[in-house]
């Protein structure tokens, strides 16, 4: 498949851009597809699909949350001769009680998984838990930069997974044999509490960063005071619930099974990450 471009959707995201970088470093031609960037692609605009799929034999699909677009896209991919699909999914999809889902996001992701399994193509599913990069690129980044992480997470912990490991698993599934029919649940090597996480980041950056546990109502009230509609604030609080309840504290073996090595630790992530305002 090396002579054909490998399609990477969500190519500017946390996992997608790392997948693109690794594929290119290994000499594979890549079609980096996103709403803005090298190759224009929009999940909600089916007129962009054919150009993204032309000549492709393997594809990494980072789905658009809350939609049921993977199923028709996979059917279109099959018509274009795509042979291998790697789907970005998430931990907890098999557990209806994992998180309160007001938006129907879980049903959309579950349908996406079913679509690739039923496609007749070689498929692999990546199911990462909480990204370690949430602390410097995502959900928690602004709070970390400000020096105070305020969340209704209590003393909950998670086995935060490094996006570098996620990308390595995806690249292996895209370019190597032996991964077809596998669902890889991805985690770090042990559970890390938010207090331990910010302490680790403080040591690496030379900046004092605190974790402040909030009640759910106080957290929602703070978001509303910042201008967020209450319903959206409640959805953000729902997202934190699995962390508070320890539902992501278990260790998964996906990185070991896919790559034959243990996952990177949170400390390894912190030491190699880019931190705004790092001292020294």
């Amino acid at each position: 498949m090396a002579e054909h471009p490998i399609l990477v959707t969500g190519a500017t995201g946390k996992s997608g851009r790392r997948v693109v970088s690794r594929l290119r470093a290994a000499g594979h031609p890549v079609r980096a597809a996103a709403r803005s960037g090298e190759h224009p692609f929009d999940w909600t605009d089916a007129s962009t699909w054919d150009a993204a799929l032309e000549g492709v034999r393997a594809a990494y699909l980072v789905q658009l949350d809350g939609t049921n677009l993977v199923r028709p896209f996979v059917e279109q991919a099959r018509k274009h001769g795509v042979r291998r699909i790697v789907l970005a999914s998430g931990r907890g999809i098999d557990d209806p009680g994992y998180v309160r889902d007001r938006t129907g996001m879980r049903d959309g992701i579950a349908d996406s998984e079913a679509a690739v399994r039923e496609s007749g193509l070689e498929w692999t599913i990546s199911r990462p838990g909480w990204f370690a990069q949430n602390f410097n690129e995502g959900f928690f980044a602004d709070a970390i930069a400000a020096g105070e992480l305020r969340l209704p997470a209590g003393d909950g912990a998670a086995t935060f997974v490094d996006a570098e490991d996620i990308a390595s698993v995806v690249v292996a599934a895209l370019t190597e044999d032996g991964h077809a029919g596998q669902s890889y649940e991805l985690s770090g090597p042990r559970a890390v509490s938010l207090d331990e996480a910010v302490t680790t980041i403080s040591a690496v950056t030379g900046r004092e960063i605190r974790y402040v546990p909030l009640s759910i109502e106080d957290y929602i009230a703070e978001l509303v005071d910042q201008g967020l509609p209450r319903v959206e604030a409640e959805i953000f609080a729902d997202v934190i619930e699995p962390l508070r309840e320890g539902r992501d504290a278990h260790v998964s073996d996906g990185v070991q099974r896919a790559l034959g090595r243990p996952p990177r630790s949170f400390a390894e992530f912190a030491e190699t990450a880019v931190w705004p305002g790092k001292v020294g």
Side-chain angles (χ1 to χ4, degrees):
M1 288 184 285
E3 70 276 12
H4 297 279
I6 296 175
L7 174 64
V8 177
T9 68
T12 58
K14 284 192 284 292
S15 69
R17 62 185 174 83
R18 289 175 167 87
V19 169
V20 168
S21 177
R22 278 169 170 68
L23 287 171
R24 286 181 171 160
H28 298 284
V30 179
R31 184 168 294 153
R35 283 186 178 179
S36 59
E38 296 177 23
H39 189 95
F41 173 80
D42 187 342
W43 276 108
T44 64
D45 182 358
S47 70
T48 67
W49 294 5
D50 286 331
L53 289 165
E54 183 66 33
V56 165
R57 295 295 176 266
Y60 177 45
L61 305 186
V62 180
Q63 56 196 304
L64 183 62
D65 290 340
T67 67
N68 291 79
L69 296 169
V70 166
R71 186 174 292 276
F73 186 82
V74 167
E75 176 59 22
Q76 195 74 357
R78 189 182 62 77
K79 292 177 181 177
H80 273 273
V82 173
R83 300 172 189 167
R84 182 175 294 182
I85 295 286
V86 180
L87 177 71
S89 184
R91 240 175 170 196
I93 297 305
D94 290 335
D95 179 5
Y98 175 74
V99 66
R100 187 178 301 135
D101 185 12
R102 304 171 194 245
T103 64
M105 188 180 300
R106 179 188 171 277
D107 289 343
I109 298 173
D111 184 70
S112 299
E113 289 201 2
V116 300
R117 289 192 178 101
E118 297 162 6
S119 66
L121 307 177
E122 296 180 24
W123 59 265
T124 307
I125 295 172
S126 165
R127 285 181 163 186
W130 282 85
F131 283 43
Q133 277 73 11
N134 278 317
F135 289 90
N136 71 324
E137 298 178 21
F139 197 28
F140 308 146
D142 289 345
I144 294 298
E148 192 169 82
L149 181 62
R150 302 169 64 83
L151 292 172
D155 58 359
T159 47
F160 296 101
V161 59
D162 194 326
E164 303 291 348
D165 280 342
I166 298 170
S168 293
V169 170
V170 170
V171 168
L174 286 169
T175 62
E176 301 171 2
D177 294 330
H179 302 282
Q182 296 293 323
S183 293
Y184 291 125
E185 188 170 286
L186 308 177
S187 80
R190 70 175 182 87
V192 176
S193 70
L194 290 177
D195 191 59
E196 181 183 355
V198 298
T199 298
T200 300
I201 296 167
S202 294
V204 167
T205 61
R207 297 175 55 244
E208 182 180 357
I209 303 166
R210 297 195 309 142
Y211 164 57
V212 179
L214 300 176
S215 69
I216 296 171
E217 277 306 313
D218 284 347
Y219 177 69
I220 291 172
E222 286 193 4
L223 293 181
V224 170
D225 285 345
Q226 294 167 19
L228 204 66
R230 183 174 178 86
V231 66
E232 292 185 27
E234 290 172 347
I235 290 171
F236 275 114
D238 291 344
V239 170
I240 302 300
E241 182 182 0
L243 184 55
R244 182 175 64 253
E245 299 296 329
R247 293 180 194 142
D248 248 333
H250 60 287
V251 175
S252 299
D253 65 355
V255 173
Q256 182 69 50
R257 285 198 296 120
L259 303 178
R261 64 162 175 81
R264 283 161 51 92
S265 69
F266 189 86
E268 288 174 299
F269 149 73
E271 288 165 3
T272 57
V274 176
W275 299 102
K278 181 176 180 180
V279 176

